[in-house]
């Protein structure tokens, strides 16, 4: 049994209120570029029907120049609650993109102010906004004025160890009209290295009145509870822990609601999920889906005898049939051992 304090349980037993939007889960599936497409979100939602999910980040500039909405922005009319995440540094483009996102049925619009990738920060987007808080403020204000759904921000604790600016930055975002902030407890300089510094998220929570979501290093029910205790946050957002494991958000949500831990899926169940994921990617994206599926498949194939060999084979599949055959053979072999 994982210890969970009564204060924590009662604090999290009410819905998460993001402005006018009420979400019946305190566990969120993060935006993950190249991962959280409609296919992946469907799998996550099967186990976490109440949770807020995010699209992959969408460039507002790119959106400004195209007529058709990119596939990464596509939302299933039945998937709710859903946030479309945008990135850019131009308030006018972001406002325009937000209007398109609302037309596509987004329940909230999230602005990416945390992406560390050079290609994005060099153009003034993602985490570079931490160094230009006035621009970040202008973005939030303009997007708030452009649409009638809540605007949220996802960011990091600062640019580097010398510039941990999150306290001031988060207050500015709240004052500009953001209705929730998600804080990844790393600096931009950290990338994905070292530990997420949850203590900074705790400090943010103490000074804001809007919900604060903790992000970084949530890989299990245990780490989620520990993070919620340490930060006092209003919820947790799962990221790398969901790669090849779309069960995580649902497992944490179930525990928070019932105090009971779901049994972990067996290797066979994980491989069955991998097969379904592969087939769905093929149906949704064709050849491109197969190329994207390779990485997903290698993430699923873990934690059983022969997994390393299977990973190698799955990482080079050319067709859906090749992948399905490999997975079915692995399932049969695991079944024989049981
Ligand atoms: C493959 C990958 C893609 C990501 N794409 C996005 C993205 O599109 N938008 C975003 O805000 N964060 C993105 N992130 C950051 C994660 O949402 C999250 O903030 C980060 O991984 C920290 O959480 P973790 O330690 O639990 O993985 C990405 C991270 C990874 C590993």
């Amino acid at each position: 049994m994982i210890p969970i304090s009564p204060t924590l349980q009662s604090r999290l037993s009410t819905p998460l209120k993001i402005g006018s939007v009420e979400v019946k889960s305190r566990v969120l599936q993060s935006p993950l570029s190249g991962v959280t497409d409609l296919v992946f979100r469907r799998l996550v939602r099967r186990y976490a029907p109440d949770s807020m999910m995010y699209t992959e980040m969408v460039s507002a500039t790119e959106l400004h120049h195209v007529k058709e909405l990119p596939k990464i922005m596509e939302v299933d009319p039945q998937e709710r609650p859903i946030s479309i995440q945008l990135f850019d540094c131009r308030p006018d483009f972001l406002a325009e993109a937000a209007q398109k996102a609302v037309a596509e049925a987004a329940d909230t619009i999230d602005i990416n102010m945390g992406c560390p990738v050079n290609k994005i920060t060099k153009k003034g987007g993602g985490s570079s906004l931490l160094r230009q808080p006035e621009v970040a403020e202008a973005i939030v204000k303009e997007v708030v004025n452009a649409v009638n759904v809540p605007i949220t921000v996802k960011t990091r604790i600062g640019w580097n160890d010398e510039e941990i600016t999150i306290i001031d930055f988060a207050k500015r975002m709240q004052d500009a009209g953001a209705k929730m902030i998600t804080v990844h407890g790393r600096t931009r300089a950290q990338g994905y290295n070292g530990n997420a510094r949850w203590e900074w998220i705790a400090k943010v929570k103490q000074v804001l009145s809007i919900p604060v979501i903790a992000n970084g290093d949530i890989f299990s029910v245990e780490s989620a509870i520990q993070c919620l205790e340490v930060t006092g946050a209003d919820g947790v957002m799962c990221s790398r822990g969901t790669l090849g494991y779309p069960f995580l958000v649902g497992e944490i949500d179930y525990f928070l609601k019932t105090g009971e831990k779901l049994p972990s899926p067996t290797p066979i169940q994980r491989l069955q999920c991998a097969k379904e994921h592969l087939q769905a990617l093929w149906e949704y994206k064709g050849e491109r889906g197969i190329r994207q599926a390779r990485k997903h498949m290698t993430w699923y194939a873990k934690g059983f005898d022969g997994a390393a060999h299977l990973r190698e084979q799955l990482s080079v599949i050319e067709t859906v049939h090749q992948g399905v055959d490999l997975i079915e053979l692995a399932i049969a072999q695991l079944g024989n051992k049981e």
Side-chain angles (χ1 to χ4, degrees):
M1 191 66 186
I2 307 157
I4 174 165
S5 67
T7 19
L8 180 68
Q9 207 156 27
S10 78
R11 187 160 59 77
L12 301 180
S13 62
T14 54
L16 175 64
K17 287 197 181 127
I18 311 170
S20 54
V21 173
E22 276 204 2
V23 181
K24 284 186 264 152
S25 168
R26 301 285 182 147
V27 195
L28 300 86
Q29 168 67 55
S30 81
L32 293 167
S33 184
V35 176
T36 54
D37 55 17
L38 198 142
V39 168
F40 183 78
R41 296 197 304 270
R42 268 191 201 135
L43 288 173
V44 175
R45 200 173 291 284
R46 179 181 303 163
Y47 307 102
D50 298 335
S51 286
M52 174 69 99
M53 320 244 154
Y54 291 75
T55 63
E56 303 167 68
M57 59 181 178
V58 180
S59 158
T61 298
E62 271 177 45
L63 207 54
H64 176 73
H65 293 294
V66 295
K67 281 215 175 77
E68 266 182 45
L69 282 194
K71 217 170 168 71
I72 53 169
M73 216 169 147
E74 199 168 61
V75 163
D76 181 338
Q78 274 150 40
E79 60 170 328
R80 284 271 149 79
I82 178 80
S83 183
I84 293 186
Q85 194 193 48
L86 304 171
F87 74 94
D88 219 284
C89 65
R90 284 193 53 166
D92 55 343
F93 282 1
L94 279 159
E96 182 191 326
Q99 286 167 342
K100 292 182 183 171
V102 171
E104 182 61 17
D107 292 307
T108 67
I109 304 290
D110 190 66
I111 316 275
N112 181 321
M113 301 193 185
C115 180
V117 175
N118 271 334
K119 206 172 78 179
I120 291 178
T121 55
K122 274 194 185 140
K123 290 186 188 153
S127 57
S128 73
L129 287 164
L130 281 159
R131 299 187 112 181
Q132 301 180 72
E134 302 79 18
V135 179
E137 265 172 352
I139 287 173
V140 172
K141 284 184 186 160
E142 195 147 337
V143 181
V144 165
N145 282 334
V147 291
N148 59 0
V149 301
I151 306 308
T152 63
V153 167
K154 179 168 177 286
T155 188
R156 291 183 175 236
I157 57 174
W159 183 254
N160 57 27
D161 278 359
E162 286 70 50
E163 288 178 42
I164 299 189
T165 51
I166 187 60
I167 306 293
D168 176 60
F169 189 82
K171 279 198 244 168
R172 282 170 176 248
M173 296 305 101
Q174 174 174 282
D175 293 345
K179 292 288 185 272
M180 182 173 87
I181 186 162
T182 302
V183 182
H184 173 192
R186 289 186 174 86
T187 61
R188 188 264 177 177
Q190 269 184 282
Y192 297 95
N193 300 320
N195 292 336
R197 293 181 252 173
W198 293 339
E199 65 278 13
W200 279 102
I201 305 174
K203 290 181 191 169
V204 176
K205 173 64 194 163
Q206 277 166 18
V207 297
L208 292 200
S209 54
I210 56 172
V212 175
I213 303 299
N215 173 239
D217 294 347
I218 310 291
F219 290 106
S220 61
V221 172
E222 288 79 359
S223 54
I225 301 304
Q226 204 193 340
C227 177
L228 286 164
E229 296 278 13
V230 169
T231 60
D234 299 281
V236 281
M237 180 182 274
C238 304
S239 303
R240 285 171 300 165
T242 67
L243 301 179
Y245 201 81
F247 315 95
L248 184 62
V249 176
E251 284 178 357
I252 300 170
D253 190 44
Y254 187 82
F255 184 81
L256 286 180
K257 284 174 175 155
T258 63
E260 290 185 16
K261 222 178 145 182
L262 286 169
S264 301
T266 63
I268 290 183
Q269 286 166 332
R270 291 211 314 271
L271 287 175
Q272 280 162 340
C273 183
K275 185 171 106 176
E276 190 183 340
H277 196 162
L278 171 64
Q279 286 169 321
L281 275 175
W282 163 244
E283 278 163 31
Y284 186 54
K285 296 184 183 171
E287 299 276 334
R288 202 164 56 87
I290 299 301
R291 287 194 298 278
Q292 287 183 358
R294 291 177 189 149
K295 62 176 184 237
H296 287 287
M297 297 302 106
T298 61
W299 292 329
Y300 280 102
K302 279 191 186 143
F304 54 88
D305 281 351
H309 183 50
L310 180 62
R311 277 202 300 279
E312 251 172 63
Q313 294 175 304
L314 288 170
S315 68
V316 291
I317 53 167
E318 295 285 348
T319 66
V320 66
H321 301 295
Q322 246 183 331
V324 167
D325 287 350
L326 285 168
I327 295 170
E328 283 182 348
L329 183 65
I331 290 175
Q333 284 167 348
L334 283 168
N336 288 340
K337 284 186 199 149
E338 272 180 0

